[in-house]
Amino acid sequence: MPTRLFTLADIKILKQLQQAGRITNQELADKVGMATSPCWRRVKQLEESGVIAGYQAVLDRRKLGLGILAFIRVKIDSHSEEEAQHFERQVAALEPVIACYAVAGDADFLLQVVAEDLDTFSTFAMSTLRRLPGIKEMHTTLVLREVKPLTPLPVGA
């Protein structure tokens, strides 16, 4: 969706839903200072327009046994659209890769990867990821501490 101007009510709704996606419509309406019906209609419009792309739970990776978080910068051999799309499809199928971005700079892709421990990460990086066709270089950065993990987007900033 192209950039658009949001009403103050939209901004309040989006901020609240980023903090608590399971909030009831009544609670949301109360928090944003609206009646329930108009609030519900605004949420539906934001969903239908794609501004709200979905709802999900935020999980604690450590409590799931995923002690390693790493970023891997990948350069591919060819910069053809077909090769890039092939790489993207292959990476999208890899469960330990929780995010992948096509980037500018010293790499072509930036992958965010989780693993149980260093041995599991090493096996994945060297036996699975490194063996994907078309990879020219890989550089890994291990996260020592999450200073500011994924946070709500700055709506209306």
Side-chain angles (χ1 to χ4, degrees):
M1 172 177 200
T3 303
R4 62 175 266 218
L5 295 175
F6 294 101
T7 66
L8 183 56
D10 292 339
I11 292 168
K12 288 179 180 180
I13 288 169
L14 293 170
K15 285 182 178 184
Q16 288 298 320
L17 289 176
Q18 285 191 97
Q19 294 297 321
R22 290 181 53 148
I23 193 171
T24 67
N25 184 58
Q26 180 65 57
E27 292 171 314
L28 179 60
D30 290 344
K31 287 186 180 275
V32 301
M34 294 178 73
T36 56
S37 292
C39 182
W40 181 83
R41 283 194 297 275
R42 288 303 308 144
V43 169
K44 287 298 170 202
Q45 289 172 349
L46 290 165
E47 289 171 350
E48 290 168 3
S49 69
V51 172
I52 297 174
Y55 299 88
Q56 65 186 28
V58 178
L59 307 178
D60 184 324
R61 71 175 169 81
R62 286 180 206 84
K63 290 183 180 175
L64 293 170
L66 300 169
I68 298 292
L69 176 61
F71 290 91
I72 303 175
R73 293 185 325 276
V74 176
K75 282 187 184 181
I76 57 175
D77 286 328
S78 170
H79 289 99
S80 74
E81 187 172 338
E82 181 181 321
E83 287 291 323
Q85 288 176 349
H86 180 66
F87 178 80
E88 290 171 15
R89 284 190 302 275
Q90 290 182 310
V91 166
L94 299 174
E95 193 171 272
V97 178
I98 61 171
C100 176
Y101 306 93
V103 297
D106 66 346
D108 299 308
F109 294 93
L110 179 64
L111 283 59
Q112 188 174 7
V113 177
V114 293
E116 290 82 10
D117 53 37
L118 197 51
D119 289 336
T120 305
F121 173 79
S122 177
T123 299
F124 169 75
M126 300 312 292
S127 299
T128 302
L129 190 59
R130 183 71 181 132
R131 292 190 178 168
L132 293 179
I135 290 184
K136 182 178 179 180
E137 291 179 29
M138 283 178 28
H139 297 276
T140 299
T141 301
L142 292 174
V143 173
L144 299 177
R145 181 170 49 100
E146 290 176 87
V147 176
K148 184 178 181 182
L150 184 63
T151 60
L153 293 174
V155 180

